[in-house]
Amino acid sequence: MSTTTQNSKKDSNESHTWQVSVDKDSIFTNDDVINAYLKGKKEGRVESNQLYIDKLNENINKSATFTQRMLEFMIEHKLNPISAHLKIKSYDDFIILITLPEKQFISEDFLISYDFAASLEEEIIEDKYYNVMFMFSDREEEVFNTNLLVSDGFFMDYKMSSINA
């Protein structure tokens, strides 16, 4: 679209004619640029948040897989884990707490569990978007306080029925 402007002869002795040489739709004001930036920033933030959520869900599933493997190892070695709990420190940093009876927790037979946990943790050492650490605790039902687990950040419980699936 072409626009022509002309000064009136009243304003000046000479007549100047100007014609816009580009399409008006390709000219952007400062406000246009700022609005586009803000819109892109908002869309980028939404996309970035979705990426974090997707990675968090993926890492929760990885934690379930590692928990499953740890529990199966313990059962194979005649240990009886009672529960497993997950603490999410960030989208890429997790702690898995496994509880078992006090007699088994303090027995020498249990020590191989630490070695296996270390080998699981080493499997993901190259993964820059996932870190996991295993912790173990004894658990006597009459004195074990699950509210303390939640206050320590272990707000997700592993479904123990799935170790037999």
Side-chain angles (χ1 to χ4, degrees), residues 12-44:
S12 114
N13 291 339
E14 294 182 27
S15 174
H16 298 285
T17 303
W18 293 97
Q19 182 175 350
V20 177
S21 60
V22 295
D23 183 12
K24 270 180 106 174
D25 292 334
S26 68
I27 298 174
F28 301 101
T29 67
N30 290 343
D31 288 341
D32 293 333
V33 173
I34 291 169
N35 288 337
Y37 170 79
L38 292 174
K39 181 180 177 189
K41 184 176 179 183
K42 181 180 177 186
E43 289 174 3

Side-chain angles (χ1 to χ4, degrees), residues 70-84:
M70 186 71 223
L71 294 172
E72 288 171 350
F73 173 86
M74 294 174 83
I75 290 170
E76 285 174 16
H77 289 85
K78 310 291 187 253
L79 298 168
N80 301 309
I82 298 171
S83 64

Side-chain angles (χ1 to χ4, degrees), residues 56-57 59-61 63 85-96 131 152-156:
L56 174 64
N57 286 328
N59 288 341
I60 288 172
N61 289 333
S63 295
H85 310 276
L86 184 65
K87 178 178 183 175
I88 301 172
K89 294 175 69 176
S90 68
Y91 79 96
D92 63 346
D93 196 10
F94 297 79
I95 299 174
I96 298 168
N131 183 50
D152 282 342
F154 293 95
F155 65 92
M156 296 183 83

Side-chain angles (χ1 to χ4, degrees), residues 100-149:
L100 58 156
E102 183 178 16
K103 283 184 181 181
Q104 291 182 2
F105 180 70
I106 61 174
S107 75
E108 286 200 28
D109 295 337
F110 171 69
L111 295 177
I112 61 171
S113 298
Y114 285 109
D115 293 334
F116 187 72
S119 70
L120 290 176
E121 292 169 3
E122 286 176 11
E123 282 182 27
I124 52 93
I125 208 141
E126 298 296 322
D127 188 340
K128 61 184 179 177
Y129 298 110
Y130 181 69
N131 183 50
V132 68
M133 182 177 86
F134 282 93
M135 294 176 64
F136 302 94
S137 175
D138 64 323
R139 179 173 181 158
E140 296 302 321
E141 289 302 325
E142 55 276 352
V143 293
F144 193 79
N145 187 344
T146 56
N147 291 332
L148 291 177
L149 281 177

